[in-house]
Amino acid sequence: LRRDGVGGASESFDHEPGNVPLPAQFLKLVGRKASADSGGLYRYRPLSKWNLGEGQGLQDDFQRWAWTQLEAQDRPAPGGPVAWKSVWRVEDMNGESTLRMMRADPASAQACVQCHNALEMRPAVQALRLQQGAPAGRQWQQHQLLGALEVQVPLAPVEALAAEQRSQVLGAVMALVAAGMMM
């Protein structure tokens, strides 16, 4: 961006004309918009054990369990991309059967690693980590687990949509069979 005469990625992009959000901030904006525009068919949300924003870390049993499953796949010094396996389960949320799935969002670029590592060295962040009971001064390498994406899909609307489509397909097949028998 700077090469083109525009700002750059900045954590305070919304107060700096010409700048854009950091990738993690961008994912949060996409998650909010996608969830709002899905008509209740799904909820999409980036999250991480390491998120600094209030209410943006791991908040419930599924998220803590799934994060632990992803951490078990992480490598201390990955030589290249890790073959991450998504984690999922169906559980009751607000009286609705819901598919919850989490997939890794690793540090894909060296720029991400450098930015997060610099952030972790700030005294305020280190104090927050100690307050949270997390190790202060964590330093990542490219391809390591940095964040994750959670998708929640309430199954009742999916089942209703599948039943409607099944009826439409069955009606079309019956019409074709009836038309074929008349010929």
Side-chain angles (χ1 to χ4, degrees):
L1 291 169
R2 287 192 181 99
R3 221 178 353 188
D4 294 337
V6 181
S10 169
E11 62 186 284
S12 51
F13 71 96
D14 49 348
H15 303 298
E16 299 170 348
N19 286 332
V20 297
L22 297 172
Q25 291 170 312
F26 179 73
L27 277 177
K28 290 173 192 166
L29 293 171
V30 169
R32 279 189 220 125
K33 182 72 172 151
S35 295
D37 291 354
S38 76
L41 288 178
Y42 65 91
R43 183 172 174 230
Y44 165 89
R45 182 177 111 112
L47 51 90
S48 174
K49 173 181 174 178
W50 306 104
N51 276 349
L52 294 169
E54 190 151 330
Q56 295 179 352
L58 308 177
Q59 297 178 343
D60 63 32
D61 179 57
F62 170 78
Q63 292 172 353
R64 287 184 287 276
W65 169 80
W67 184 269
T68 302
Q69 302 299 310
L70 293 176
E71 274 185 323
Q73 300 174 51
D74 206 358
R75 303 289 173 261
V82 175
W84 299 99
K85 291 182 178 71
S86 296
V87 180
W88 64 274
R89 70 183 183 199
V90 175
E91 56 184 45
D92 185 66
M93 291 186 72
N94 303 319
E96 251 187 309
S97 186
T98 303
L99 170 66
R100 297 184 74 181
M101 189 271 301
M102 187 185 295
R103 80 166 188 83
D105 184 26
S108 57
Q110 195 58 37
C112 294
V113 172
Q114 291 168 346
C115 182
H116 282 274
N117 286 349
L119 185 64
E120 288 295 320
M121 298 313 289
R122 292 181 183 174
V125 173
Q126 290 188 353
L128 180 64
R129 295 294 185 227
L130 292 173
Q131 178 187 356
Q132 294 171 334
R138 166 85 193 254
Q139 297 293 287
W140 283 271
Q141 293 184 31
Q142 191 171 0
H143 306 298
Q144 284 188 307
L145 182 63
L146 193 56
L149 301 172
E150 179 189 11
V151 178
Q152 298 174 4
V153 181
L155 296 178
V158 172
E159 290 168 349
L161 183 60
E164 179 185 326
Q165 290 179 351
R166 186 174 48 244
S167 294
Q168 290 173 353
V169 169
L170 184 57
V173 168
M174 298 287 280
L176 285 172
V177 168
M181 293 175 78
M182 295 179 145
M183 293 183 137

